[in-house]
Amino acid sequence: MSTLKTFSIGGVHPAENKISAGRAIEVLEPPKQAFIPLNQNLGAPAKPLVNKGDEVKVGQLIANGEAFISSNVHSSVSGKVLKIDTITDTSGYKRPAVFITVEGDEWDPSIDRTETIIKDIKLSQKEIIDRIKEMGIVGLGGATFPSHVKLMVPDGKKAEYLLINGVECEPYLTSDHQLMLSKGEEILIGTKILMKGLGVQKAFIGIENNKPDAIRHLSGLAESFEGITIVPLKVKYPQGGEKQLIKAVINREVPSGKLPIEVGAVVHNVGTAFAVYEAIQKNKPLIERVVTLTGKPVSRPSNFMVRIGTPISQLFEKAGGLPENAGKIISGGPMMGKALISLETPVVKGTSGILVMEEKDSARVEIKPCIRCGRCVSVCPMGLEPLLLSQLSKREMWDKAENERIMDCIECGSCHYICPSGRPLLDYIRLGKNKVGQIIRNRGKK
Ligand code: SF4
Ligand code: SF4
């Protein structure tokens, strides 16, 4: 029996708890009111193109991503613009958003809404990149980096491989798993489109071995897609981290502070490959995505296809209501997710799941003194010293934190998870990363 591939340093094995794994994707009806944030991508916010009182259709461009690293925003509903105001987003910050009162469900007629699968890719490399930009596609694995920018290979670099991330290593989340089962062919066509956009002949789709049905399904389909190989991977967290996936699949190490293109690789998520298929072959902007609503107290854990801008409260209505014993509600998974402070927060392009923790599991554990066990160091997949980094952040020793490679932290939470003393290592490291990141950016401006 061959050994499954994985990354070499660190990693943990949290309980998988994929309780919504068997739930097919259900299409959620449009909300009564949509709150569509202008900044749903890593980078600059988009500039609004609509005003109060304007009528909009599904798929209409409502905000323009003008900066190099930005992304267009389209209306996911039809109706009337109520106002442009702020709303609390999934990170807890107030952000500008277009509020739309929904009337009917009128789509832009240029969008192909049929189920017909279109395999033939007619657009040129440049047209593919331009269309992906126009359609507001961002990385749907959670990073929300504008996808067209990843296809623009910088001078002096060469792309050799496209890696598609179907790992979904976060416990509980199952949206990518269900998408691979129900939209496998579309994902493979999306992969071919991304290969053409990037100018590469080879692509690998990495899937953790706890999804054997998805591995089987995509492997069967891939036989008729030249250059695409499905790679089953060992179940180990954070297998879905970009650098961990690259190490596992093509055995290359991305140097500290560098991007995957440094080693000839570009990584996109399976959800992004599907969105690219719809953008190029169906003329459909990124206006909806699959979201897992899950957690032990949830009566009907589900995977929903949700219009962007739908308040999270509406997902609960469909999944049997907010459980009485709900404690913390998290956007994302238990390892990397962030606690939500309002259920009126809308689903955005980066929302992969909503997790409800029971009250008894949500109470903050008592923080005890560090016992110098070294476990946080041994599990760090980036070879960092989490205890040291958290101490440097706490003491505001930014130069030292930078020298100790704080910016290499991928915020996977493995150190926090393993610590027997319940030290909030990641909280301090995130704080330090924000500060050091600011210092680096300001240095670049001088
Ligand atoms: S959160 Fe950062 S420091 Fe902690 S284990 Fe992950 S990469 Fe290492
Ligand atoms: S895992 Fe926790 S207790 Fe152990 S060395 Fe790291 S911070 Fe200290």
Side-chain angles (χ1 to χ4, degrees), residues 69-145:
I69 300 187
S70 185
S71 161
N72 286 348
V73 176
H74 301 77
S75 182
S76 59
V77 292
S78 61
K80 201 174 260 177
V81 176
L82 181 68
K83 58 180 177 175
I84 296 174
D85 205 342
T86 57
I87 187 123
T88 306
D89 73 3
T90 45
S91 57
Y93 290 104
K94 287 221 176 265
R95 309 261 192 215
V98 181
F99 288 50
I100 301 171
T101 306
V102 179
E103 292 163 7
D105 191 27
E106 198 186 335
W107 287 56
D108 182 315
S110 68
I111 300 171
D112 175 356
R113 298 181 66 194
T114 65
E115 291 291 319
T116 315
I117 292 182
I118 303 169
K119 221 170 159 177
D120 190 24
I121 303 162
K122 291 208 175 78
L123 299 194
S124 68
Q125 182 175 20
K126 182 177 180 311
E127 286 167 338
I128 287 172
I129 297 173
D130 290 347
R131 179 77 68 86
I132 289 174
K133 178 175 193 281
E134 194 186 320
M135 296 289 164
I137 312 296
V138 301
L140 295 187
T144 65
F145 193 82

Side-chain angles (χ1 to χ4, degrees), residues 369-377 387 415 418-421 423 425:
C370 169
I371 55 167
R372 306 268 158 188
C373 65
R375 286 192 220 173
C376 54
V377 179
L387 170 62
C415 51
I418 207 76
C419 177
S421 297
R423 313 279 318 159
L425 298 167

